[in-house]
Amino acid sequence: MTKRYDQEHARSLADPEGYWGEAARDLHWTKPWDKVLDASKAPFYRWFVGAQTNTCYNALDRHVEGGRADQLALIYDSPVTNKKATYTYRQLRDAVALFAGAMAKEGVGKGDRVIIYMPMVPEAAIAMLASARLGAIHSVVFGGFAANELATRLNDAKPKLIVSASCGIEVNKVIPYKPLLDAAIAMAEHKPSRCIILARPEAKADLVAGRDLDWAAAVQAASPHACVPVAATDPLYILYTSGTTGQPKGVVRDNGGHMVALKKSMTTVYDIKPGEVFWAASDVGWVVGHSYIVYAPLLQGCTTVLYEGKPVGTPDAGAFWRVISEYKVVSLFTAPTAFRAIKRDDPNGEFLKKYDLKHFRILFLAGERCDPDTLHWAEQILKVPVIDHWWQTETGWPICANPMGLERFPVKAGSPTKAVPGWDVQTVDESCKPVKAGQVGNLVIKLPLPPGSLPTLWNADARFTSSYLEEFPGYYKTGDAGYIDEDGYVYVMSRTDDIINVAGHRLSTGAMEEVLANHPDVAECAVIGVADTMKGQLPLGFLVLKAGVKKTEAEIVKEVVGMVRDRIGPVAAFKTAVVVKRLPKTRSGKILRGTMQKIADVQDYKMPATIDDPAILPEIEQALTTVGYAKKG
Ligand code: COA
Ligand code: AMP
């Protein structure tokens, strides 16, 4: 019996230069590399040093010139606006080249940053690819973030240009983007010289004279721009993700390693061939959207689906099945929460009966822990393999998966299966000693990380090393805890930091605490993630009020809920807080968030040996019952 996985995984670790050098041959390089892996500045590793290339050329022009000009590259399906559109590879290449021309006319060139604050419209992907075409560096900001979050990113990335739209649409709510954008620019120290705004018929945007340009007018005045060769090690994009504070981390992705790794993953992990239709039901504002709505499907010569809608409510729980059948989707990639939403509305899968899913082969789930119930329900109604896989914004592509293009391992519910070739995943204890199979430890990855993973954080090398590389020397710290069983299956159990996962969205409770602490009546606060049957986790706040406050507790709770929505955004889904007299702490003053979370979720917990005053815990339990948590039975 061939053991393709074992062979390929072993080779990728023993001979990474040979393995990735071979994978890179499938792509176009204007200058070949001098070295596949440069370890001379370890722990800063660089891939394909000396090479030049252009990611947009490889995603679009290469296919137009290679016989795929008339194949569909992108399908846009928007149940929220009742619109559909298609782009062939030639049409998408032409639209991107023209928008690149418009951006260049506004002075954008190699190395300049471009912030893209867009809803799920084709123009979002066009702007990303146009930025790549010019060798500029895009930074997409998710539409569900508030103006303050956008301002933080403006200050850090210092973009020359912002590309945005008049509005986004959330089921049946129009969300005007322009007021958020104007507020963010007013708040930020860094002011971009130009904004290009896509006018959508659902909302009008007031353009600021001298600064804002209408998308259509900008394109009309532009001529197509050619691809600009960049160093393989030059940044393609920055994607900000939650860290442990209100200052998000700017994950950098390079050009060369990124395209090699993504293209390879389409074969080894996703088993999808050029010409087939791949759909990642996510958002371009998240890493899944970057990697598997935009770049990977196009690098592989597939057709990608850009869906502006939800799994339920647009119009019903059959929405995913309609898209799959209408476009002959071969693989769908989404978060387990989307399936929990569908299951809630249509537990028996009645909507499925209306659609023909004969082309559908595999469902991939990621973004949060996949609970066995959801996995089995999806398997049972869809009757195709359901593949849980594990990755992070930092890694850019899956760390662990059932490698569908290599070998199909039996599924063990609760595990995203094994380390994908390229990743050396291990579990270690606090002193970096390996732990035995089956024992929970810190999930770490032996350096060097494979291509496509973050080479550093934007303008923050020191934060990169202190966040990821210092605690476990020689390894990358994933921030996840879990174990590896005797068969090499990895189980990702929980975060080791204060990041929580709400409906597949990564959020920092530390950032929420910073907001709560700003309320004038709040003396102390804590935010924890509590279990939620639909969204996986939800944030929950604890407030200790200053003595002699005039407002009622209910008024203060309402105000802090509004503050998190205003400062972080609706996506934080921060809706509940409780007022307590004091917070449980260790004798050294550390808040016992883990214990609070266990009480809220009615899990067994050990009384922490270092607790300052055990009598606080019943008070916390009592407070939690008033908001529906900590209820036994
Ligand atoms: N622009 C503006 N607001 C947005 C937004 C956007 N792009 N995306 C979400 N929001 C808002 C929503 O309108 C909602 O606001 P509300 O509090 O006024 O209702 C809030 O942010 C939370 O949104 P969401 O997390 O989408 O929750 P929901 O209850 O509206 O929908 C699901 C729940 C499960 C249907 C939805 O989260 C989903 O489809 N998840 C899929 C997961 C996913 O795409 N993960 C990405 C990684 S694979
Ligand atoms: P993000 O950077 O938004 O992709 O979030 C990454 C985090 O989501 C990981 O560090 C995990 O905590 C969690 N995560 C992603 N995929 C999985 C999975 N398949 N199983 C368990 N947790 C996951």
Side-chain angles (χ1 to χ4, degrees), residues 192-519:
S193 46
R194 243 322 161 239
C195 299
I196 300 183
I197 312 292
L198 176 76
R200 303 190 78 190
E202 293 76 15
K204 190 181 168 297
D206 294 322
L207 301 187
V208 174
R211 189 194 73 190
D212 298 346
L213 258 178
D214 172 59
W215 173 294
V219 163
Q220 207 171 21
S223 26
H225 204 290
C227 293
V228 177
V230 293
T233 49
D234 280 343
L236 168 70
Y237 71 74
I238 308 164
L239 179 57
Y240 288 90
T241 189
S242 298
T244 48
T245 64
Q247 179 65 31
K249 292 170 171 165
V251 168
V252 172
R253 199 80 64 208
D254 68 11
N255 274 274
H258 173 247
M259 62 181 196
V260 173
L262 285 194
K263 184 165 188 318
K264 181 83 180 158
S265 74
M266 291 303 270
T267 306
T268 48
V269 175
Y270 297 100
D271 190 25
I272 184 142
K273 293 170 191 58
E276 293 185 323
V277 184
F278 188 82
W279 177 26
S282 178
D283 188 289
V284 287
W286 305 116
V287 67
V288 177
H290 282 64
S291 295
Y292 294 104
I293 296 176
V294 181
Y295 288 110
L298 298 177
L299 288 164
Q300 182 75 334
C302 297
T303 303
T304 187
V305 180
L306 194 137
Y307 172 73
E308 189 181 25
K310 299 257 176 182
V312 292
T314 58
D316 54 39
F320 275 15
W321 324 140
R322 174 189 63 79
V323 173
I324 291 173
S325 78
E326 199 166 324
Y327 306 118
K328 301 186 173 55
V329 170
V330 163
S331 279
L332 166 65
F333 175 171
T334 190
T337 191
F339 266 71
R340 289 196 293 268
I342 297 170
K343 184 179 166 205
R344 182 196 57 190
D345 285 12
D346 181 20
N348 299 320
E350 294 298 329
F351 278 106
L352 257 176
K353 296 180 187 148
K354 291 167 59 181
Y355 301 100
D356 173 5
L357 265 61
K358 70 169 176 288
H359 297 276
F360 189 49
R361 284 205 305 257
I362 313 172
L363 170 67
F364 290 93
L365 298 174
E368 57 175 328
R369 186 173 157 75
C370 181
D371 54 290
D373 278 358
T374 304
L375 182 102
H376 294 315
W377 183 77
E379 282 174 337
Q380 186 205 325
I381 65 155
L382 289 169
K383 301 186 174 52
V384 297
V386 178
I387 306 302
D388 175 16
H389 60 326
W390 169 53
W391 53 299
Q392 314 181 308
T393 305
E394 289 85 345
T395 67
W397 59 284
I399 309 165
C400 283
N402 208 331
M404 299 306 275
L406 293 177
E407 258 182 82
R408 300 187 177 198
F409 293 107
V411 168
K412 294 194 193 181
S415 167
T417 319
K418 303 193 186 199
V420 173
W423 302 97
D424 187 352
V425 181
Q426 304 185 13
T427 27
V428 295
D429 65 15
E430 297 308 313
S431 49
C432 204
K433 300 246 164 47
V435 301
K436 285 199 200 105
Q439 271 183 17
V440 174
N442 297 285
L443 289 167
V444 293
I445 298 160
K446 194 160 190 308
L447 298 177
L449 295 180
S453 47
L454 81 170
T456 189
L457 294 173
W458 180 250
N459 278 341
D461 283 351
R463 191 176 182 198
F464 171 64
T465 44
S466 66
S467 303
Y468 302 108
L469 307 180
E470 271 170 11
E471 197 169 334
F472 305 107
Y475 296 91
Y476 162 84
K477 169 185 158 186
T478 65
D480 282 313
Y483 63 94
I484 306 178
D485 75 7
E486 302 279 355
D487 302 323
Y489 281 61
V490 175
Y491 290 76
V492 184
M493 308 302 289
S494 58
R495 290 287 307 188
T496 57
D497 53 17
D498 58 5
I499 284 170
I500 57 169
N501 212 306
V502 180
H505 310 316
R506 170 169 161 178
L507 296 160
S508 159
T509 53
M512 293 185 218
E513 288 178 3
E514 284 177 24
V515 176
L516 303 191
N518 263 316
H519 190 287

